[in-house]
């Protein structure tokens, strides 16, 4: 009985299990689904983490560190690697720069560069000559015996400056590489490694420069810019070495002349001009003398000049290398009006056209500057080009004819011109009777005259004292400029001051006042506050020697 009952119970349980088994299997699959998904997600996440933790290739790490080191070291040299040092009578700026060929480059702005093959290393020494110090130069002038020890003094200065440069360069490359390494890697150890590697590379470069140092490189210099004509001016380097006594005397004379030019410009008499007049500064024939910019800037400030007029020959050869000599024109403190001279090329004219505060006149073009209507024509000849035969005065008269045509047109239109400009006086004479005042240059000396039909022609001397070649002359050429005073209403000439410096070798400065005949006593009023009148064509100095 019990067996029958137990048998029936098992049969019932078996039947129930057979019915519930598929349902349990399905429920088990549902419960296992999230776990399977989690296992797959974890597998993917673990694989990705393992990929990120793989270290980069050793060569890649090394190249990256080298790149950071080189770039950081270069930036350090660029920002804090320069050393300002006196060398003899000059103030210089020394820097090390990365280079494939090494060597030394000396920049004498605005004259050009001098390159020396002093060494072979991945660094180059750059020396920029900033200026000639007037105080130290004056000491050489006052004590000529010091020229005997100038070579030893320069050697000491260069040695001391080189030691300072090495120290600054080490600090610069280490600081630059460390700072860039910290910015890139964000790990102090890597950053310090970059700084150490930069110091090691600089040390290796220094050792290479020392091993390949060539003291005879001064005998084979490479000139560029305006200095390319230096061998023809001072002789070749071997002659300088073999005849050092002669070269030393020439150097003493050059330093003396330049120093006294600084003295002359710093002691120009101060004059308070009449505020009711328009003041025009007439300059001409600068001929590439950098000292002229200082003279002009001084006159602009002292005389409160309204407009500067340059009647040409600002350059000497008209080459593109000379163009940067013109950059100070924009900073002289007054508008600059210019016409081309026979030493100024079309390239010179184009470069000046792009400068601020500069007005270039040619082909009779008219411009109103500082309230004055001015017309001008450029010189038709470019004499430095020896391949072209000079056309002479006929070409100048033709150019002057174009200027005269423009003046007639302006007069007929009811807008007469106040001042006509040309470089050559022959061209300027064609404006006679069409304008009250004509300005020119070219002759390197002053001429004042009245043309037959009443136009006043004023020819200015050389504001550059004959140019850079003046330092070679035994008797230097005088530096000349003039300040013209125009009535603000009529634009007519009321008076003019002739300013004369004694030249590069002298320190005398003279300013003389002149009055036109119609403004002399009995003929009309003279400018307010002017000194005692002088006859036209002669001058009474309003200030004695400076």
């Amino acid at each position: 009985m019990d067996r029958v009952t137990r048998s029936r119970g098992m049969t019932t349980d078996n039947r129930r299990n057979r019915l519930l088994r598929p349902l349990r299997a399905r429920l088990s699959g549902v419960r296992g689904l999230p776990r399977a998904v989690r296992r797959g997600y974890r597998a993917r996440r673990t694989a990705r983490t393992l990929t990120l933790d793989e270290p980069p290739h050793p060569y890649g790490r090394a190249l990256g560190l080298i790149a950071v080191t080189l770039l950081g070291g270069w930036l350090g040299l660029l920002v804090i690697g320069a050393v300002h040092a006196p060398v003899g009578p000059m103030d210089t700026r020394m820097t090390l720069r990365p280079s494939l060929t090494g060597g030394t480059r000396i920049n004498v702005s605005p004259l050009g560069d001098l390159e020396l093959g002093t060494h072979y290393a991945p660094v180059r020494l750059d020396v920029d000559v900033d200026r000639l110090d007037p105080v130290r130069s004056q000491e050489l002038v006052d004590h000529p015996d010091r020229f005997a020890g100038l070579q030893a003094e320069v050697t000491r200065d260069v040695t001391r400056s080189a030691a300072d440069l090495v120290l600054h360069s080490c600090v610069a490359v280490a600081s630059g590489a460390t700072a860039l390494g910290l910015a890139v890697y964000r790990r102090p150890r890597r950053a310090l490694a970059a700084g150490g590697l930069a110091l090691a590379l600089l040390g290796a470069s220094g050792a290479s420069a020392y091993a390949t140092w060539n003291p005879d490189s001064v005998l084979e210099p490479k000139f560029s810019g305006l200095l390319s004509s230096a061998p023809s001016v001072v002789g070749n380097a071997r002659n300088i070495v073999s005849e050092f006594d002669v070269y030393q005397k020439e150097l003493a004379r050059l330093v003396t002349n330049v120093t006294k030019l600084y003295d002359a410009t710093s002691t120009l008499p101060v004059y308070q001009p009449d505020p009711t007049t328009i003041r025009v500064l007439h300059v001409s024939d600068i001929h590439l003398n950098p000292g002229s910019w200082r003279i002009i800037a001084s006159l602009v400030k002292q005389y409160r000049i309204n407009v500067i007029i340059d009647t040409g020959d600002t350059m000497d050869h008209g080459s593109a290398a000379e163009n940067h000599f013109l950059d100070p024109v924009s900073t002289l403190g007054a508008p600059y009006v210019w016409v081309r001279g026979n030493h100024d090329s079309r390239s010179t004219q184009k470069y000046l056209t792009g400068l601020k505060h500069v007005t270039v006149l040619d082909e009779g073009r008219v411009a109103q500057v500082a309230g004055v209507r001015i017309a001008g024509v450029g010189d038709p000849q470019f004499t430095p080009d020896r391949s072209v035969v000079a056309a002479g005065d006929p070409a100048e008269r033709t150019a002057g004819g174009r200027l005269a045509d423009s003046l007639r047109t302006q007069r007929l239109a009811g807008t007469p011109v106040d001042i006509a400009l040309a470089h050559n006086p022959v061209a300027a004479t064609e404006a006679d009777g069409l304008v009250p005042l004509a300005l020119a240059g070219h002759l390197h000396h002053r001429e004042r005259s009245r043309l037959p039909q009443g136009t006043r022609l004023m020819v200015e001397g050389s504001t550059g004292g004959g140019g850079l070649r003046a330092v070679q002359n035994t008797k230097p050429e005088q530096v000349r400029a003039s300040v013209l005073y125009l009535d603000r209403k009529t634009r007519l000439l009321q008076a003019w001051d002739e300013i004369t410096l004694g030249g590069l070798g002298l320190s005398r400065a003279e300013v003389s006042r002149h009055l036109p005949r119609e403004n002399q006593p009995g003929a009309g009023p003279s400018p307010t506050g002017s000194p005692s009148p002088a006859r036209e064509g002669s001058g009474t100095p309003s200030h004695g020697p400076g």
Side-chain angles (χ1 to χ4, degrees):
M1 186 70 178
D2 291 339
R3 186 178 302 163
V4 173
T5 302
R6 194 163 43 249
S7 177
R8 289 176 179 175
M10 291 179 61
T11 303
T12 302
D13 291 340
N14 290 338
R15 187 181 295 113
R16 185 184 302 162
N17 287 337
R18 283 196 300 270
L19 293 174
L20 293 177
R21 191 177 292 122
L23 180 59
R24 287 173 180 172
R26 292 180 181 180
L27 291 174
S28 177
V30 173
R31 286 196 301 268
L33 182 61
R35 187 178 300 171
V37 172
R38 287 197 299 270
R39 282 198 301 268
Y41 172 76
R42 287 171 183 169
R44 289 193 298 271
R45 185 176 61 181
T46 302
R48 187 177 301 169
T49 303
L50 290 174
T51 302
L52 288 175
D53 288 340
E54 289 182 2
H57 197 281
Y59 290 157
R61 293 180 60 185
L63 290 176
L65 182 62
I66 292 174
V68 169
T69 299
L70 294 178
L71 181 59
W74 178 77
L75 291 175
L77 287 175
L78 193 65
V79 176
I80 61 173
V83 172
H84 295 272
V87 177
M90 299 175 296
D91 289 334
T92 66
R93 181 176 181 270
M94 298 184 178
T95 53
L96 290 180
R97 291 286 183 261
S99 172
L100 296 177
T101 59
T104 299
R105 183 186 65 84
I106 303 174
N107 176 33
V108 187
S109 180
L111 304 180
D113 294 339
L114 171 65
E115 295 183 11
L116 303 174
T118 53
H119 62 277
Y120 295 97
V123 290
R124 182 188 71 208
L125 173 62
D126 284 359
V127 181
D128 295 323
V129 178
D130 292 335
R131 69 186 186 107
L132 182 69
D133 186 89
V135 176
R136 297 199 299 272
S137 302
Q138 186 63 44
E139 291 177 355
L140 292 175
V141 174
D142 295 338
H143 304 281
D145 54 297
R146 293 189 179 182
F147 276 98
L150 182 60
Q151 186 178 13
E153 179 185 352
V154 170
T155 302
R156 288 194 302 270
D157 291 341
V158 170
T159 303
R160 183 168 55 251
S161 303
D164 291 343
L165 180 61
V166 170
L167 179 61
H168 275 75
S169 299
C170 290
V171 173
V173 298
S175 301
T178 302
L180 186 60
L182 193 61
V184 173
Y185 297 115
R186 300 184 183 276
R187 295 181 181 179
R189 185 175 297 178
R190 289 280 184 89
L192 291 176
L197 181 58
L199 281 177
L201 291 176
L202 183 62
S205 300
S208 176
Y210 181 79
T212 59
W213 183 258
N214 178 23
D216 294 332
S217 60
V218 69
L219 301 178
E220 298 178 356
K222 179 182 178 181
F223 298 97
S224 61
L226 300 181
L227 287 179
S228 58
S229 61
S232 63
V233 175
V234 300
N236 59 52
R238 293 186 183 277
N239 289 340
I240 292 176
V241 174
S242 61
E243 302 177 9
F244 186 76
D245 291 339
V246 177
Y247 179 70
Q248 191 178 61
K249 293 178 182 178
E250 293 300 311
L251 177 63
R253 185 163 62 89
L254 173 62
V255 173
T256 301
N257 290 344
V258 174
T259 301
K260 290 191 173 182
L261 172 62
Y262 275 95
D263 289 342
T265 56
S266 63
T267 57
L268 280 173
V270 178
Y271 173 72
Q272 297 296 331
D274 178 8
T276 65
T277 58
I278 297 175
R279 294 167 296 283
V280 178
L281 177 62
H282 182 198
V283 300
S284 191
D285 296 87
I286 292 175
H287 282 290
L288 216 63
N289 189 343
S292 299
W293 300 132
R294 177 168 177 169
I295 295 173
I296 294 172
S298 176
L299 293 174
V300 168
K301 182 178 180 180
Q302 294 178 17
Y303 283 80
R304 299 181 183 177
I305 296 298
N306 299 111
V307 57
I308 306 166
I309 292 179
D310 185 346
T311 47
D313 272 8
T314 312
M315 308 301 244
D316 208 17
H317 304 289
S319 64
E322 299 172 336
N323 285 342
H324 288 291
F325 168 77
L326 301 167
D327 290 343
V329 167
S330 299
T331 63
L332 295 175
Y336 201 90
V337 180
W338 182 87
V339 291
R340 187 179 65 252
N342 62 294
H343 281 262
D344 304 317
S345 65
R346 297 281 180 174
S347 173
T348 302
Q349 180 166 313
K350 182 179 180 180
Y351 188 84
L352 267 172
T353 303
L355 296 182
K356 294 181 179 180
H357 312 302
V358 177
T359 301
V360 175
L361 300 180
D362 196 7
E363 301 297 332
R365 180 194 166 198
V366 180
Q368 182 163 325
V369 183
V372 182
R373 291 183 57 78
I374 308 171
V377 64
D379 198 296
Q381 305 182 84
F382 180 54
T383 53
D385 185 0
R386 302 300 181 184
S387 64
V388 178
V389 179
D393 287 353
E396 300 293 341
R397 294 191 182 93
T398 300
R402 292 194 295 271
L403 175 62
D405 291 340
S406 175
L407 297 175
R408 291 189 187 94
T409 301
Q410 293 295 322
R411 175 178 287 185
L412 292 174
T415 54
V417 173
D418 303 312
I419 303 177
L421 309 180
H423 175 66
N424 196 311
V426 175
T429 57
E430 298 298 315
D432 187 17
L434 300 172
V435 70
L437 179 63
L439 305 181
H442 185 63
L443 302 181
H444 286 213
H445 64 266
R446 288 191 182 106
E447 287 189 3
R448 315 296 192 200
S449 61
R450 273 297 188 101
L451 299 177
Q453 298 185 44
T455 294
R456 186 187 308 277
L457 176 62
M458 306 184 77
V459 180
E460 189 53 76
S462 174
T463 310
L468 289 175
R469 289 168 292 185
V471 300
Q472 300 175 333
N473 301 332
T474 304
K475 185 178 180 180
E477 189 173 325
Q478 291 181 321
V479 176
R480 298 178 173 91
S482 296
V483 177
L484 315 179
Y485 301 97
L486 306 182
D487 184 270
R488 191 167 292 275
K489 293 182 179 180
T490 65
R491 310 294 190 268
L492 297 178
L493 183 67
Q494 298 296 299
W496 72 91
D497 288 343
E498 293 181 351
I499 300 164
T500 305
L501 304 182
L504 296 181
L506 302 173
S507 59
R508 179 175 57 87
E510 181 180 284
V511 179
S512 58
R513 168 62 55 83
H514 300 263
L515 299 178
R517 287 194 179 95
E518 61 269 21
N519 287 349
Q520 292 180 9
S526 63
T528 304
S530 63
S532 58
R535 292 185 178 274
E536 186 173 1
S538 63
T540 302
S542 58
H543 299 278

